[in-house]
Amino acid sequence: MNYKNYIVRLFFRILLLVAAILTLGYYIYAKNHALIVLSIFVLLYLLANTYTFVKRRFVAMDDFFEAVKYRDFSRWFPEDRGPKDIRFLYTGFNEINRTIKEINSQNEAQYVYLQKILEMVDIGIISYNLETGDVLWSNDSFRDTLDFPSFKNIRFVEKRKPELFNTIFETYHREPNSISIAVQNEKIKILISDTIFQVNDDAFKLIVVQNIDDTLNKNESEAWKKLLSVMTHEIMNSIAPISSLADTLQRNVQLALEHPNEDHLDLEDVHAGLKTIKNRGEGLLKFAKTYRSLSKVTHLNLQKTMVSELFKNIQLLMEPSIKAKNIKVDFMINTPRLELSIDTHLIEQVLINLILNAIDACKNRPEAYIKIQASQTPNRTTMIKVYDNGAGIPQDIMESIFIPFFTSKATGSGIGLSLCKQIMLLHKGKILVNSKENEGTVFSLVF
């Protein structure tokens, strides 16, 4: 609307100028000297007025463009005085300035936010002008990794450490490259990569470095902690029932020694108990050796094993622990003379883990019950199932229970079930679980 008003007012002034020129021509023709002089004054006034009318708009625009040229968006144009069309123009200029200031403020906030993020990362980053060497930006991690103070130009590094300068700044690393450099009289290993980018007419180089010595040492330390946790967990799982069985045998022997006439020592029971302890000890030793390189195992010590013999050893080993907790346990074999080709020691370890989990699930449950059942399907798939009527597994963690080091127990290490799964995979089998909260759980070993 203001634009149309400006055109109308300009057109009106042009009409007045045309009328004044025609009037002046008429008076010249009529040779009326007095009116000629008056017409000339009127014409000059109209010309000055039209010039001022047009000029003030261009002056306002020129002022605004000058401010834009020097990026001065803080200038405020008066909106409450002057001609109406200029006030409207100033309002538009001020709105543009406010918008640009908001955009600049947002960009500045984003830049500060990005800068803070890059400052916090433990990866060294530097960007500099390829021609002048002036540093565009670098973070503390870069300077700390390479033991540099703050500097504004990379020639600072060239003068003090020319060899390091050539390695870092002069050599191109298009792909991430692991190199060793000397820092504080010692060798460290870093991962370095770089890229070149263009901003207007200037070329910049961006270099990223990471001290992988620290990362490797940290990962190695964490791996050792986890390994010790796993080994401790598995060793304790085996030692606890061995200790309980040994205690039972010792008590029977002591009673027989103190009361030979009343308490007769069953040598077969003692022999069977000692044999079980010996076998589990060997199994524990085998487990320790196997776990040490479990991820590299390609060959198992497979042998034909009667499931009844496997169950007998597990029952003899675990029975004292289970009876002490008042839990009823049954071992069942649906298929007579069922046989498996397995690494006995490792499968024993799996069953011990599952039974101990079942015992824990049945804790404080009335009429607690555990059943270990073996059967063979018509297609000759052998399955060993461990049932319990315990607390069950919550559905929201069901998919996570086989993840290494995941645990829902306050004192658990989260490696028992993941190890069971790994052992079953080594046997080209699998482990399945089905559970309902407050009803019970069944783990199935499928061979």
Side-chain angles (χ1 to χ4, degrees), residues 58-102:
F58 281 99
V59 168
M61 295 176 65
D62 188 60
D63 287 346
F64 175 72
F65 292 142
E66 187 76 9
V68 171
K69 177 181 178 181
Y70 293 103
R71 299 181 181 275
D72 179 16
F73 301 110
S74 61
R75 182 172 178 179
W76 184 82
F77 296 88
E79 302 176 11
D80 54 352
R81 61 177 182 269
K84 184 178 179 182
D85 63 310
I86 298 299
R87 294 201 307 268
F88 184 84
L89 200 61
Y90 283 166
T91 301
F93 292 162
N94 290 334
E95 184 65 30
I96 292 173
N97 281 344
R98 277 193 294 269
T99 302
I100 292 177
K101 282 195 290 186
E102 287 178 8

Side-chain angles (χ1 to χ4, degrees), residues 28-228:
I28 291 173
Y29 176 77
K31 297 181 180 181
N32 189 334
H33 299 290
L35 291 177
I36 289 174
V37 172
L38 179 63
S39 297
I40 290 174
F41 278 111
V42 171
L43 180 61
L44 291 174
Y45 171 79
L46 290 174
L47 283 172
N49 181 268
T50 303
Y51 172 77
T52 303
F53 177 78
V54 174
K55 178 185 175 183
R56 68 189 179 193
R57 195 175 186 95
F58 281 99
V59 168
M61 295 176 65
D62 188 60
D63 287 346
F64 175 72
F65 292 142
E66 187 76 9
V68 171
K69 177 181 178 181
Y70 293 103
R71 299 181 181 275
D72 179 16
F73 301 110
S74 61
R75 182 172 178 179
W76 184 82
F77 296 88
E79 302 176 11
D80 54 352
R81 61 177 182 269
K84 184 178 179 182
D85 63 310
I86 298 299
R87 294 201 307 268
F88 184 84
L89 200 61
Y90 283 166
T91 301
F93 292 162
N94 290 334
E95 184 65 30
I96 292 173
N97 281 344
R98 277 193 294 269
T99 302
I100 292 177
K101 282 195 290 186
E102 287 178 8
I103 294 173
N104 287 342
S105 178
Q106 292 173 1
N107 289 340
E108 185 177 352
Q110 291 177 356
Y111 174 77
V112 172
Y113 177 66
L114 178 61
Q115 193 173 32
K116 291 298 180 184
I117 291 176
L118 294 177
E119 285 289 355
M120 292 175 65
V121 299
D122 59 355
I123 298 175
I125 303 171
I126 186 172
S127 176
Y128 65 93
N129 188 302
L130 271 176
E131 184 177 349
T132 64
D134 292 333
V135 175
L136 179 66
W137 190 85
S138 69
N139 63 357
D140 291 338
S141 294
F142 181 84
R143 297 187 289 272
D144 292 343
T145 300
L146 303 180
D147 190 31
F148 291 153
S150 180
F151 58 92
K152 295 183 179 180
N153 193 290
I154 62 171
R155 305 303 168 195
F156 172 88
V157 182
E158 184 180 19
K159 294 176 182 178
R160 286 159 179 78
K161 299 180 180 180
E163 185 178 346
L164 189 60
F165 174 83
N166 289 331
T167 303
I168 300 297
F169 296 102
E170 292 293 294
T171 306
Y172 287 88
H173 306 275
R174 298 303 186 205
E175 300 293 332
N177 188 21
S178 174
I179 61 174
S180 293
I181 61 173
V183 176
Q184 294 182 342
N185 298 321
E186 65 177 67
K187 288 282 187 180
I188 67 168
K189 185 168 285 188
I190 64 170
L191 191 66
I192 182 170
S193 61
D194 57 49
T195 186
I196 294 175
F197 61 94
Q198 197 84 12
V199 178
N200 297 327
D201 295 330
D202 295 323
F204 293 87
K205 188 175 184 180
L206 177 69
I207 300 175
V208 178
V209 298
Q210 182 178 14
N211 186 339
I212 56 178
D213 265 356
D214 291 344
T215 303
L216 291 174
N217 291 338
K218 183 179 179 181
N219 290 343
E220 185 178 351
S221 176
E222 290 298 321
W224 273 109
K225 288 178 183 178
K226 290 180 179 180
L227 176 62
L228 290 174

